[in-house]
Amino acid sequence: MGAGIAETAASAGFEVVIRSRSEATAAATRDRLERSLAKQVDRGKRTAEDAAATMARVKATSDLADLWGCGIVIESVVEDLATKKHLFRELDRAVGAGAVLATNTSTLPVVELAMETARPESVCGIHFFNPAPVMTLVEIVRPLTASDATIEAARQFAVACGKQPVVVKDQAGFIVNHLLFPYLNNAVRLLEQGVASRDDIDAAMKGGCNFPIGPFALLDLVGLDTSVAILDALYEEFRDPHYAAVPLLRRLVAAGRLGRKTGQGFYDYRSE
Ligand SMILES: NC(=O)c1ccc[n+]([C@@H]2O[C@H](COP(=O)([O-])OP(=O)(O)OC[C@H]3O[C@@H](n4cnc5c(N)ncnc54)[C@H](O)[C@@H]3O)[C@@H](O)[C@H]2O)c1
């Protein structure tokens, strides 16, 4: 998600600093972005000059201090509250006082990240969808602590990125995942119960509901580990059994089959 958000912002003309934990992963993220732009040039979706100008706006680093001058910082690390809290404490020290600190979390309580900082009024959620350069929606998540100016800055940033922002309360799942994950979880339940095959369930939701991809293709795109983390956060908040991750999902995660990112999930991508 981090590379996709960087591509989106750089394409919109923003100067972007990608910060990863090591020089190697920072360089890998930059390479990934460069490959994505090259593919778009090959497909005639942007010119080589535009791709080069976009890349020139992107700097990759492992040093948090390089974020000092940024106006908006969007955290997009693994969906784990403890990891994100630790990072928000570091970001608060590393980033200039006027900056907005945002999280791309799919479900976690944004207020808990805000309270790790000395600037809770400047913390909000800016939730991009996957793949970020393609999907038009951005959920702007408003924790109790955020100021109007912070929410407006986040909203304006999303609009400048060519996205459609919606503002939503800081409640697990926000709008989209609150509605989407019971559906995805129930699809896994149907498969586990042997009600229909993977391919037939995916085909049914494409052909019957006009969805562009079926639930298993979508779970593989989101990542099964991220999906379990989202369901766990929803269950933690609402204690509704519809949000309790179906055992098959956890077994796939335990087997390292996380979806597209590991080459195998519900589908096998290793020959792609
Ligand atoms: N996958 C999706 O479809 C999707 C969609 C919208 C939002 N999100 C959210 O975006 C965030 C990232 O999701 P993802 O699917 O890219 O996750 P991922 O697990 O694929 O990638 C997370 C990345 O964060 C890195 N990381 C972990 N700890 C770090 C730290 N302390 N500092 C810097 N980097 C660190 C990991 O090395 C990894 O590269 C999560 O909060 C997730 O909920 C995901």
Side-chain angles (χ1 to χ4, degrees):
M1 285 303 293
I5 295 168
E7 180 182 323
T8 304
S11 299
F14 289 98
E15 297 288 331
V16 175
V17 180
I18 299 173
R19 187 270 170 176
S20 288
R21 278 177 296 180
S22 70
E23 283 302 321
T25 52
T29 309
R30 201 173 184 280
D31 288 350
R32 190 173 160 174
L33 204 162
E34 200 156 22
R35 281 198 306 277
S36 167
L37 296 177
K39 228 185 260 172
Q40 292 165 40
V41 172
D42 287 347
R43 291 185 187 144
K45 289 191 173 157
R46 64 166 92 216
T47 63
E49 294 71 36
D50 182 63
T54 302
M55 275 316 293
R57 287 192 282 274
V58 177
K59 172 182 173 175
T61 180
S62 62
D63 190 353
L64 273 173
D66 287 334
L67 298 175
W68 175 259
C70 292
I72 294 190
V73 175
I74 304 173
E75 163 283 311
S76 189
V77 304
V78 63
E79 186 77 338
D80 173 71
L81 189 57
T83 306
K84 287 185 189 288
K85 278 185 170 181
H86 178 78
L87 187 55
F88 266 75
R89 287 196 293 277
E90 289 186 328
L91 287 173
D92 193 31
R93 290 192 294 270
V95 178
V100 167
L101 299 184
T103 172
N104 187 44
T105 182
S106 304
T107 35
L108 296 171
V110 179
V111 68
E112 292 199 29
L113 303 179
M115 295 309 286
E116 294 295 320
T117 74
R119 61 179 103 183
E121 70 285 354
S122 301
V123 176
C124 69
I126 301 183
H127 182 212
F128 284 86
F129 288 77
N130 189 9
V134 175
M135 302 299 280
T136 52
L137 184 71
V138 170
E139 289 178 326
I140 307 294
V141 184
R142 172 165 213 152
L144 289 172
T145 40
S147 68
D148 290 346
T150 296
I151 299 304
E152 187 50 24
R155 216 187 56 75
Q156 281 182 17
F157 170 72
V159 170
C161 286
K163 303 298 183 192
Q164 183 203 346
V166 293
V167 179
V168 54
K169 230 168 62 172
D170 179 24
Q171 173 179 297
F174 316 130
I175 300 171
V176 172
N177 287 337
H178 191 115
L179 296 173
L180 177 65
F181 270 84
Y183 153 68
L184 293 177
N185 203 31
N186 274 323
V188 182
R189 203 184 320 274
L190 282 190
L191 181 68
E192 200 179 49
Q193 291 169 343
V195 172
S197 69
R198 172 200 71 185
D199 289 354
D200 282 354
I201 295 171
D202 267 0
M205 297 314 291
K206 284 163 69 179
C209 295
N210 212 15
F211 289 178
I213 58 175
F216 299 113
L218 182 53
L219 281 160
D220 279 353
L221 177 68
V222 170
L224 304 194
D225 53 340
T226 302
S227 297
V228 167
I230 291 170
L231 284 162
D232 285 348
L234 285 162
Y235 186 76
E236 173 72 20
E237 181 112 309
F238 301 112
R239 305 288 163 167
D240 177 334
H242 284 103
Y243 293 123
V246 169
L248 176 59
L249 256 182
R250 288 194 200 279
R251 296 297 177 274
L252 286 164
V253 171
R257 298 186 187 181
L258 307 184
R260 282 187 172 274
K261 62 184 162 188
T262 56
Q264 257 185 311
F266 286 100
Y267 289 89
D268 195 328
Y269 305 91
R270 286 170 297 177
S271 59
E272 281 183 14

